[in-house]
Amino acid sequence: MRKFLWALLALSASVVVAGLVWEPLVATEYSAPPPRKYDVEIARDSFGVPHINGKTDADTAYGLAYAHAEDDFSTIEDVVAMTRGRYGALAGSDGAKVDYVLHFLGARETAERRYTELSPEVRAVAEGYAAGLNHYAKKHP
């Protein structure tokens, strides 16, 4: 009986440790909007400031995201982790506080549930920005 209790204790401890360090092995699947071509020009002046010219607001958002990623991709990675409730894995206990508030408020669920209520124009701008970030990330793995 003593061996059984020790084995049960070891198994319980293993489950607790695994639960504390578990990181999902695969990302959550999201359906991306259909790919489209963005007509944008990014010109940097002599100070390195990007000037973004797009034919539509969505084109400009795409260019803005790409220029933003060129200038500060590490901060964008942190913000993405925060919006996905994964910042604790990067920043430790301070990041876990951010994750807790995100889950407590249900911010992600609200955004997913109400995204379709946005006008098509606003969604196009958000999707253009996301496409610009994704393009930068694909070019710079």
Side-chain angles (χ1 to χ4, degrees):
M1 182 70 168
R2 199 167 239 230
K3 287 182 182 180
F4 175 74
L5 290 176
W6 278 111
L8 185 60
L9 180 64
L11 178 63
S12 298
S14 298
V15 169
V16 169
V17 169
L20 292 173
V21 299
W22 171 255
E23 294 288 330
L25 299 176
V26 291
T28 306
E29 291 291 326
Y30 294 100
S31 58
R36 70 169 273 228
K37 177 103 171 96
Y38 291 93
D39 188 3
V40 63
E41 176 189 7
I42 302 170
R44 291 192 181 258
D45 63 21
S46 59
F47 297 103
V49 176
H51 298 270
I52 300 146
N53 300 306
K55 287 201 173 191
T56 66
D57 289 343
D59 294 333
T60 305
Y62 176 91
L64 175 63
Y66 196 88
H68 186 191
E70 286 179 323
D71 293 343
D72 193 12
F73 195 68
S74 64
T75 299
I76 293 170
E77 289 177 309
D78 286 346
V79 171
V80 168
M82 288 177 197
T83 63
R84 293 185 175 171
R86 307 284 304 136
Y87 195 52
L90 298 178
S93 63
D94 288 339
K97 294 172 188 173
V98 174
D99 295 344
Y100 173 79
V101 171
L102 177 86
H103 291 295
F104 179 73
L105 296 175
R108 187 161 183 84
E109 294 78 14
T110 300
E112 287 175 356
R113 186 176 64 250
R114 304 210 45 204
Y115 181 74
T116 57
E117 296 175 21
L118 297 173
S119 71
E121 294 83 11
V122 171
R123 286 196 314 260
V125 168
E127 291 165 5
Y129 192 88
L133 291 180
N134 288 336
H135 183 213
Y136 179 86
K138 188 174 183 179
K139 285 179 72 173
H140 303 88

